[in-house]
Amino acid sequence: MYKSFYLIIFVFLFSCGSSRNLVYFSDLQENNDQSTKILNAVDPKIQPDDLLGISVSTLNPESNALFNSGILLPPTVTNTNNTNTNLVKDGYLVDKNGFISYPVLGQVKLGGLSKEEATKKMIAELKRYIKGEPIVNIRYLNFKVTVIGEVNRPSTITVPTEKINVLEALGMAGDMTVYGKRENVLIIREKEGKRNITRINLNTKETLNSPYFYLQQNDVVYVEPVVGKYRATQANTNRNLSTILVGATSLLTLIITRFF
């Protein structure tokens, strides 16, 4: 009789306990190595409000000073570091029409171009004033993404490498809490004057091929919380569920001992 009674209670507890999938890419098979070509990594495009660091290096010290700081050195002044003078501190802000204001060159449109394309354009513009082949280096000075919601350290993250995926961003934000919806992560992206909003499911490996897996500058990642009166129950792991079962079993044993 007691065995049947315990069985009924255990079935009841397991049926009432609701668990969630807290494992990233849980549909990946264990001990099964995979290799797939990365097709969704794209070079970011220069957008309005991007802050660009641009340095120009030539064999001419006067040209270096002129194109890096807008200062023309007198002929009697020499620069011992005649191959790399980078005096740009604040960078060049891309305006709403995609233009930057650069010394001597004036207004140069870089908006919509990748770094590689922008570098080639700057070299072509500089060749009108410089003999030889100038070396141009362009970097994003304010490439950042923001991670908020159910993460341990919500923050805005500056990305010096200009390449980051959603997993790396979550890692820098301390990962999700157990209350974060891994199956419904919101990504907000502004591009070409439009705000795009999409959701990705980090429980499935298909997200690795999503165009939103790799983040772009100024992306916002929002991890939604589990809400409602069942939040704590839904976030239970197997370990927590086992603890509840042990406590419930002890209580039931006490009741049966006294009343049966």
Side-chain angles (χ1 to χ4, degrees):
M1 175 180 176
Y2 290 154
K3 291 183 178 180
S4 299
F5 182 76
Y6 276 120
L7 180 60
I8 293 173
I9 294 300
F10 269 85
V11 171
F12 174 77
L13 288 174
F14 273 111
S15 62
C16 291
S18 176
S19 61
R20 295 176 51 245
N21 185 0
L22 303 182
V23 180
Y24 295 118
F25 314 122
S26 57
D27 56 348
L28 282 173
Q29 297 181 2
E30 294 184 6
N31 302 321
N32 184 15
D33 295 338
Q34 297 185 19
S35 178
T36 57
K37 188 175 181 180
I38 298 175
L39 300 175
N40 55 336
V42 296
D43 291 332
K45 302 292 185 179
I46 296 172
Q47 302 178 17
D49 296 325
D50 281 345
L51 193 62
L52 303 177
I54 303 176
S55 65
V56 177
S57 297
T58 72
L59 295 178
N60 186 291
E62 291 82 7
S63 296
N64 290 339
L66 180 61
F67 288 104
N68 284 299
S69 64
I71 300 174
L72 180 61
L73 294 178
T76 56
V77 177
T78 59
N79 189 344
T80 56
N81 184 12
N82 62 358
T83 59
N84 187 10
T85 303
N86 182 6
L87 302 179
V88 177
K89 294 182 179 180
D90 299 327
Y92 298 92
L93 183 66
V94 182
D95 67 20
K96 64 180 181 179
N97 296 315
F99 287 87
I100 64 168
S101 182
Y102 200 81
V104 182
L105 302 182
Q107 296 291 302
V108 181
K109 186 169 186 179
L110 300 181
L113 303 179
S114 66
K115 267 200 336 178
E116 182 179 357
E117 294 168 340
T119 300
K120 290 180 179 179
K121 183 168 184 177
M122 288 296 295
I123 290 175
E125 294 287 337
L126 289 167
K127 279 185 174 180
R128 295 188 299 164
Y129 303 92
I130 298 175
K131 292 182 179 180
E133 189 76 14
I135 299 174
V136 176
N137 181 45
I138 299 179
R139 291 190 60 194
Y140 291 93
L141 300 181
N142 65 339
F143 193 109
K144 62 184 185 298
V145 297
T146 300
V147 184
I148 56 176
E150 281 295 334
V151 292
N152 288 296
R153 295 191 302 272
S155 56
T156 296
I157 302 163
T158 301
V159 186
T161 59
E162 302 158 9
K163 182 179 180 181
I164 186 172
N165 62 49
V166 66
L167 293 181
E168 292 171 324
L170 287 171
M172 292 180 180
D175 202 2
M176 295 188 199
T177 70
V178 293
Y179 301 118
K181 288 186 177 180
R182 285 151 177 77
E183 71 280 5
N184 200 27
V185 177
L186 186 71
I187 296 180
I188 304 172
R189 174 173 298 170
E190 294 183 3
K191 187 176 182 180
E192 299 178 354
K194 297 181 180 179
R195 182 177 294 110
N196 302 305
I197 300 175
T198 191
R199 298 176 187 273
I200 61 174
N201 182 359
L202 292 178
N203 286 144
T204 174
K205 63 182 179 181
E206 294 303 322
T207 299
L208 295 171
N209 298 319
S210 167
Y212 286 86
F213 179 71
Y214 286 96
L215 301 178
Q216 298 183 13
Q217 66 266 47
N218 304 315
D219 278 0
V220 176
V221 179
Y222 172 57
V223 180
E224 294 185 1
V226 176
V227 295
K229 64 179 180 179
Y230 297 111
R231 166 173 168 158
T233 303
Q234 290 177 338
N236 280 339
T237 60
N238 290 335
R239 183 175 180 180
N240 292 334
L241 183 57
S242 298
T243 303
I244 294 173
L245 289 175
V246 170
T249 302
S250 300
L251 179 61
L252 288 172
T253 302
L254 180 60
I255 293 174
I256 292 173
T257 302
R258 290 194 174 187
F259 297 99
F260 287 87

